[in-house]
Amino acid sequence: MIKKVNHIAIVVADLEESMRFWVDALGLELAHTEHVESQAVDVAFLPVGDSKIELLKPTDNESGVARYLEKRGPGMHHLCFEVEDIVAALARLKAANVQLINEVPVMGSDGRKFAFIHPKSANGVLVELYELKSV
Ligand code: ZN
């Protein structure tokens, strides 16, 4: 059901400042950054093999990511697994009494489908599932 880790998202207060660790010291490469209006974040994508580290910086004070930063400070926000079939994955999780944030996949602007699993059901970790658009 799970193909791989697609990305790990980390909330930061300042992208430039955070690059000093992830890029300058650790040696990851910055592939690109983009603004995601729907989540009110700037995202920096740092590929690691087949996966990515995504640094999320809130661009307003109201969004989920902004509230997370205010409450807990910078840190790991979620882990994302790529799945073959997200509808089947959600059905299987639901049958196992896992608490889902999105019972139905959300359609991303680029055609990928995603859904979040509640941290209560995942040892305190917010888990995202991705089904990429088949090419
Ligand atoms: Zn994500």
Side-chain angles (χ1 to χ4, degrees), residues 12-24 44 46 55:
V12 303
D14 180 332
L15 280 183
E16 305 273 297
E17 212 276 328
S18 67
M19 293 308 168
R20 286 172 38 206
F21 170 70
W22 297 98
V23 176
D24 299 346
L46 313 174
L55 303 176

Side-chain angles (χ1 to χ4, degrees), residues 11-135:
V11 175
V12 303
D14 180 332
L15 280 183
E16 305 273 297
E17 212 276 328
S18 67
M19 293 308 168
R20 286 172 38 206
F21 170 70
W22 297 98
V23 176
D24 299 346
L26 193 61
L28 298 182
E29 266 179 53
L30 170 63
H32 68 285
T33 58
E34 69 182 55
H35 178 65
V36 180
E37 190 60 52
S38 60
Q39 312 286 321
V41 284
D42 283 334
V43 186
F45 294 88
L46 313 174
V48 185
D50 241 8
S51 306
K52 290 178 238 52
I53 300 292
E54 294 186 6
L55 303 176
L56 312 178
K57 181 206 161 302
T59 53
D60 72 5
N61 297 318
E62 314 273 292
S63 63
V65 172
R67 289 198 310 270
Y68 179 98
L69 181 63
E70 194 182 301
K71 220 164 104 184
R72 313 212 219 176
M76 192 177 141
H77 187 259
H78 67 270
L79 170 62
C80 177
F81 292 113
E82 206 174 302
V83 298
E84 211 64 71
D85 179 343
I86 197 168
V87 172
L90 292 173
R92 177 189 165 136
L93 290 162
K94 213 176 163 188
N97 287 318
V98 169
Q99 195 180 333
L100 303 173
I101 293 174
N102 307 107
E103 301 220 343
V104 176
V106 181
M107 185 70 81
S109 53
D110 55 359
R112 84 188 134 76
K113 295 174 196 151
F114 64 94
F116 283 96
I117 299 167
H118 202 286
K120 271 185 193 154
S121 290
N123 301 133
V125 179
L126 177 61
V127 177
E128 182 178 27
L129 301 177
Y130 257 18
E131 179 189 319
L132 297 186
K133 195 178 169 183
S134 36
V135 192

